[in-house]
Structures are given as C-alpha cells and as structure tokens.
Amino acid sequence: MRDPEECPVIVDALRTPIGTVGGALRAISAGDLLAPVLAELADHCDAPIDEVVIGNIRGPGGNPARVATLAAGLDVATPAVTIDRQCGSGMAAIEYSVAMLSGPRQGFQIAGGTQSASTQPLTFWPAASPDDEPRQYFRAPFTDAGHADPEMGAAADLLSAEHGIGRERQDAYAARSHQRAVTSADAGAFAGELVPVGGLDRDERPRRGFTTQRLARFRPAFTPEGTATAANSCGVNDGAAAVLICDGRTAARRGLPGLRVLDAVTVGCDPERPGWGIVPAVQWLVERSGVHLDDVDLLDFNEAFAGQVLSCLDALGIDELRNCPQGGAIALGHPWAATGAVQLTRMFTQMVRHNTTGARLGLAAIAIGGGQGSAMLVEAV
C-alpha cells in the first residue's frame, strides 16, 4: 500500500433523498437528480473542479455527467465523463478519480453516480425480420452467451441456499435494517448529507414497524421455492450521490478533514453468483492493504438482498450486526449506479461529519451484475 500521505482524500459528500421508483422523484431525470448535488459540492469548494466522473446505467445516453455538470452551473471548461459498471458504477467513478489523483495530478474532482429508474428509456432489440416486432428488454446482458446470466434475485436465492441462509434470518436482518434507518432518520443522522430535490427531503423507502413477523407474510419474489422477497431485498430506486475529492498533498496543505482512500479494488467472480463479488474484493483488499477486518470500525457492504449480503458476511467471518449500523440499501433503497457513492456519503457522515464513535477505518463493498465486486478502504483524517 502506498504512502498514506499521498492517498486522495474525500473532503465532502452529499446525496439526494432516495426515492421509490414511480414515487416522488418519478419525473426527474438522472441529470436533474445529480445537478443539485454537483452544484452544492462545487459551492463548498473554493477551487476549480478539474473533472466530474459519474456512474450511470440504463440512462438517457449522451453523457449524463456532462449534462448535469452544465445544469449545475459549473464552468463550461470542466470536463465530465460517464462510466458504467452496473451496480458498482458509483464506486467505480470514485475509484477512477482516486486513480487519477494518485499520481502527479493535483486538484479537486467530483465523483459519484446517478440513477433514475423511473425515467429510464424503454429499450428494444430490433426486429429480426420485416414481419417481426421489436422486442423490449428490461436489462442489458451482463455476460456473453457462453456464461450463465441469472437475474440478480434468482442468483441471491442460489447463494442463500448454498450457504444455508434461511428465510427467518433474512427477514430478521431486513427488519433490523429498516429499524436502524428509521431510528437514524429520527435522530437527524442523515440531515447533513441530504440535498432536497423535487420537494423530497427524506428517503421514501424506510418502513416503521417492520418486524420479522410482518416480513414472514411476503411470498418469494424471484424463484418459486426461494427465500428472497420484496421485503428482504432492496428496492428499485431513484437518487444521486457524489463526493468531493482531492489529492493527498492538497488536502494536507489546506488542512482538510475527510476520508483518506487507502485502497480500492475491483475483481471478477463466477457470473452465476454475482452477489458473491464482495467476498473476493474484500479478501484482495485485506491482503493488499494488510488491514485486518477486526480493526475496521465501520462496514457498509451493500444490502442488495438479505441472503446475499449475509452469505458474504458469513464467508468473511464478520458478525452481521456490524454491517450498515444506520441501515443499508434494504431500508434506504438501491439507486443502482448511485449506490456506491451513497455508501461513501454515508461513511463520510458517520466518520467525519458526525463521528460520535471515534471510528477511524471504514470499508465499503458492493457486488455487481455479471460477476464482479468492488471494495474501498478509507481512513478518517
């Protein structure tokens, strides 16, 4: 691992409230969700923004990062790029900026993600012949034809079955995620990181009163005998999040507090088990950094499905109670390309903005369709 003093530092992080698909943010495009976040971060920075790097999937095309950068009122000279690593796109954007700022390049960048599932365009395969109709598809292929390309929910059911994660344990985990998110929201834990948009100033998804007994009433959502349900899985959501990041020398010279990015890795795994990507990503990061998981103070492994994240936590020897102490994606929602940036924004709040526990090390990880996983290790400075 390189000299920590040379590692880029996240010096601010903001997000929109997370909306439910078809809910309060249903008419707001991916670019318009992101623009207020970019504008607020840029306003917090007294130096030019050198680049904007944004993750987005199934969006309108045309480089939404550039559209949002212009809409936010940033200088027209500020370049912007949109990248796609499916659910890992928001974290990939931050990883991209970290890589650029780890060399001789200095200055400030904004990196994150945006997702509007509510406004994403309808997509069709062209007709195979003049007599055929175009065929709509609801997600792009995650693999080539030579590999299994399961739906994420079905893949989560497979992981749960293989690792012995039963329905009752999944429901209890999901209920706790909602309870944690509601409690945290009531205590004002999210207030400093939220940029209201579309009249929405709170996350739509967290549910009061969710109990294991209530969740037990939900039927399997993906496979007939499966254990993943609509209640113990993440939602389909709209939202945006981004971080303001600079090189380590600039942060040290200016005395800026924040999250130093010690390391970031992305790996591949079996495409038939895409939710497993967290495990090899974390294992590689731990091996490369030399940090022991017991020394990490704050964990945020994306809660795509309760059975999936529990399988990963068990495999890594991590007590499930340690993950997402203020609630994760099962409660808050999973705005696909924005989620990795939401995770780092949540970490910034808990470790910098409101560090009441003395947390020093944080680890975020996310599994990715097609069989990949990303992990990022940060340190409060």
Side-chain angles (χ1 to χ4, degrees):
M1 189 167 62
R2 61 183 176 271
D3 182 351
E5 296 298 323
E6 297 180 356
C7 295
V9 179
I10 295 169
V11 297
D12 203 355
L14 297 169
R15 67 179 180 93
T16 68
I18 298 171
T20 300
V21 65
L25 304 180
R26 64 186 178 277
I28 304 178
S29 69
D32 287 341
L33 283 173
L34 178 62
V37 176
L38 297 184
E40 190 83 7
L41 288 172
D43 188 57
H44 292 179
C45 183
D46 63 0
I49 303 300
D50 294 333
E51 185 145 8
V52 175
V53 186
I54 298 298
N56 179 248
I57 66 174
R58 292 299 307 277
N63 194 2
R66 175 62 171 169
V67 174
T69 298
L70 294 172
L74 273 68
D75 194 305
V76 296
T78 305
V81 62
T82 302
I83 62 177
D84 180 347
R85 194 180 270 158
Q86 296 300 306
C87 294
S89 298
M91 193 175 293
I94 300 172
E95 186 177 350
Y96 185 106
S97 280
V98 167
M100 285 195 288
L101 293 167
S102 294
R105 193 164 173 178
Q106 297 187 38
F108 292 85
Q109 297 188 11
I110 296 176
T114 185
Q115 194 70 49
S116 175
S118 294
T119 68
Q120 68 186 28
L122 301 178
T123 313
F124 294 83
W125 294 115
S129 72
D131 297 328
D132 290 334
E133 295 291 329
R135 179 168 53 90
Q136 185 176 2
Y137 70 91
F138 297 93
R139 73 163 173 86
F142 291 161
T143 68
D144 69 337
H147 291 84
D149 187 18
E151 294 292 338
M152 296 295 283
D157 279 338
L158 174 64
L159 272 187
S160 299
E162 289 179 337
H163 294 273
I165 312 295
R167 170 67 186 273
E168 186 174 353
R169 185 179 172 197
Q170 293 177 50
D171 287 347
Y173 182 93
R176 183 168 59 245
S177 182
H178 279 273
Q179 290 162 4
R180 286 176 164 182
V182 168
T183 299
S184 298
D186 288 347
F190 304 147
E193 68 192 36
L194 291 176
V195 178
V197 62
L200 186 66
D201 61 2
R202 60 174 180 80
D203 299 308
E204 280 194 297
R205 182 171 168 82
R207 296 290 183 267
R208 296 181 183 276
F210 256 10
T211 63
T212 303
Q213 293 72 28
R214 281 189 65 185
L215 268 63
R217 302 172 191 168
F218 285 77
R219 296 181 178 180
F222 305 103
T223 59
E225 304 301 320
T227 50
T229 71
N232 65 28
S233 307
C234 66
V236 179
N237 301 96
D238 304 323
V243 304
L244 179 66
I245 185 168
C246 66
D247 63 283
R249 287 155 292 181
T250 296
R253 185 173 66 252
R254 288 169 166 253
L256 297 175
L259 293 179
R260 178 183 288 146
V261 182
L262 296 175
D263 205 357
V265 301
T266 297
V267 302
C269 69
D270 180 359
E272 194 169 351
R273 294 162 179 80
W276 188 250
I278 287 174
V279 174
V282 170
Q283 288 173 332
W284 186 19
L285 186 146
V286 166
E287 179 180 352
R288 195 162 79 175
S289 68
V291 172
H292 196 283
L293 287 173
D294 288 342
D295 296 326
V296 176
D297 303 297
L298 181 62
L299 294 171
D300 191 321
F301 293 1
N302 186 48
E303 300 174 351
F305 305 89
Q308 167 261 330
V309 73
L310 285 167
S311 296
C312 294
L313 290 166
D314 284 1
L316 292 165
I318 297 172
D319 185 336
E320 66 185 73
L321 295 176
R322 293 180 61 195
N323 196 42
C324 299
Q326 294 185 347
I330 288 175
L332 296 173
H334 181 12
W336 304 319
T339 294
V342 172
Q343 291 177 275
L344 270 299
T345 300
R346 297 264 50 257
M347 283 199 156
F348 187 88
T349 290
Q350 294 170 84
M351 298 178 67
V352 181
R353 191 174 273 124
H354 299 144
N355 192 343
T356 60
T357 64
R360 186 181 69 87
L361 290 177
L363 175 59
I366 190 167
I368 303 165
Q372 297 186 84
S374 294
M376 188 170 290
L377 180 68
V378 296
E379 177 186 26
V381 293

